[in-house]
Amino acid sequence: MPQLEASVDIDFQSDVYKQAYSRINAIVIEGEEQAYENYLQLTAMLPDHEETLTKLAKMENRHKKGFEACGRNLNVTPDLEFARQFFAQLHHNFQNAAAQGKLVTCLLIQALIIECFAIAAYNIYIPVADPFARKITEGVVKDEYLHLNFGEEWLKANFEASREELEEANRQNLPLVWQMLNQVEADARVLGMEKEALVEDFMIAYGEALSNIGFSTRDIMRMSAYGLRAA
Ligand code: PL3
Ligand code: FE2
Ligand code: FE2
């Protein structure tokens, strides 16, 4: 298990580690902040689920605080400007969809794509994290499964009506994930995380989600590799 052994060799106080951490930590903080805002925004489109969505949003706010503490613990200042750029396009697509009342697209972006990205990243990070961040991340990742589950359940219950919009939203947004992974590849490796492992875990989580919603294996193969070759 190279991922587990790697943690022994990592110098969490080295300049190269802290440099990489300033960007990855910022990405996670910004991602949690946007997730918080996105779930609050979703309450307007899903008033029946207002209470649940507000709970999910509050979890995201706690996650953000947890990851801010991880940065402070290592004496790292997060590069938030970098992180805003990192999320700019996905953020734009969510806002655009929300402005058009495209609930299905918003759910695909936040509850499926972003949550699966987070689940993959956090699970890969846990064995190579410093002890403080490991504890925090273990708590966070449990919540992310609840967020993913919310999206899955709603989309499953509305599968036939959502199907076409899901396919279109997948086509537009999944290629962004591969681009984002390319952008963090070098920094993630410094933290002991391999891009191949991130891609694999993302594919598994996303494929399972699509399956739970009602897509066939054939659909999933087609959809989940969308844009991967160009990346
Ligand atoms: C929503 O709950 C969370 C949104 C956060 C998205 C995170 C994406 C992380 C990609 C960067 C890979 C390294 C992660 C390291 C973990 C501290
Ligand atoms: Fe979160
Ligand atoms: Fe989440």
Side-chain angles (χ1 to χ4, degrees), residues 24-81:
I24 301 260
N25 183 232
I27 285 172
V28 173
I29 291 167
E30 177 67 16
E32 297 291 357
E33 168 64 28
Q34 287 189 14
Y36 167 70
E37 290 167 18
N38 289 349
Y39 284 112
L40 286 185
Q41 223 173 322
L42 278 165
T43 60
M45 286 183 260
L46 277 174
D48 290 355
H49 296 272
E50 184 175 355
E51 206 181 316
T52 308
L53 286 164
T54 306
K55 261 190 214 148
L56 300 186
K58 283 185 181 154
M59 288 182 203
E60 304 296 22
N61 204 32
R62 274 201 301 278
H63 297 169
K64 179 187 167 188
K65 295 205 170 101
F67 288 124
E68 284 171 340
C70 294
R72 273 199 303 275
N73 180 56
L74 293 179
N75 272 309
V76 165
T77 306
D79 185 346
L80 292 170
E81 186 45 43

